[in-house]
Amino acid sequence: MEINIPEVLAEVTAVFQQYEQALITNDVEVLDQLFWNSPHTIRYGATENLYGYDAIAQFRAGRSPAGLDRTLKNTVITTYGRDFATANTEFVRSGKSGRQSQTWMRTLDGWRVIAAHVSLL
């Protein structure tokens, strides 16, 4: 298995950046699009555990759009072959530090998050 094939790494980096932009602007449509529409998708948040795409979409729809700006640091994106990747980053929002991890999978519809975890330090 090849690690960080340059063109695959570029694809995942671009979709990760698209996700980040959608997150800080509360673009719920793009956020929903970038999660795999499956009951197997999981998102552990700072205050919630979400199982399945529907629960994640419902959370996004009800989330306040206020105070979402943040700064990322120490972002590490690693691809494994052509269809699987992880993205890990630290963030600072409103003076609080946290971390985020995402597992990405290439689907017929493009790269999608299949598992995510967000926690505050």
Side-chain angles (χ1 to χ4, degrees):
M1 175 180 301
E2 292 182 71
I3 306 298
N4 289 339
I5 299 168
E7 64 269 20
V8 178
L9 183 58
E11 290 173 11
V12 178
T13 299
V15 76
F16 174 82
Q17 291 169 344
Q18 179 186 15
Y19 178 90
E20 183 62 21
Q21 183 62 32
L23 184 68
I24 64 173
T25 61
N26 201 42
D27 188 337
V28 175
E29 184 178 333
V30 171
L31 292 170
D32 286 346
Q33 174 192 347
L34 292 176
F35 270 77
W36 185 36
N37 190 345
S38 169
H40 302 292
T41 304
I42 295 174
R43 181 185 178 277
Y44 293 143
T47 61
E48 69 284 333
N49 295 330
L50 305 170
Y51 298 93
Y53 177 87
D54 292 340
I56 296 166
Q58 183 177 10
F59 167 79
R60 291 271 187 232
R63 185 175 185 197
S64 169
L68 297 177
D69 242 4
R70 64 188 195 165
T71 303
L72 300 185
K73 63 181 185 177
N74 298 322
T75 301
V76 177
I77 297 172
T78 307
T79 64
Y80 304 88
R82 296 193 169 273
D83 301 319
F84 189 80
T86 57
N88 294 277
T89 193
E90 297 175 47
F91 63 86
V92 177
R93 172 184 287 145
S94 302
K96 295 180 182 176
S97 295
R99 56 206 154 178
Q100 168 185 300
S101 62
Q102 299 168 329
T103 304
W104 291 83
M105 177 178 69
R106 186 192 304 273
T107 71
L108 294 176
D109 297 317
W111 286 98
R112 298 295 183 261
V113 175
I114 60 173
H117 180 249
V118 179
S119 59
L120 296 174
L121 293 174

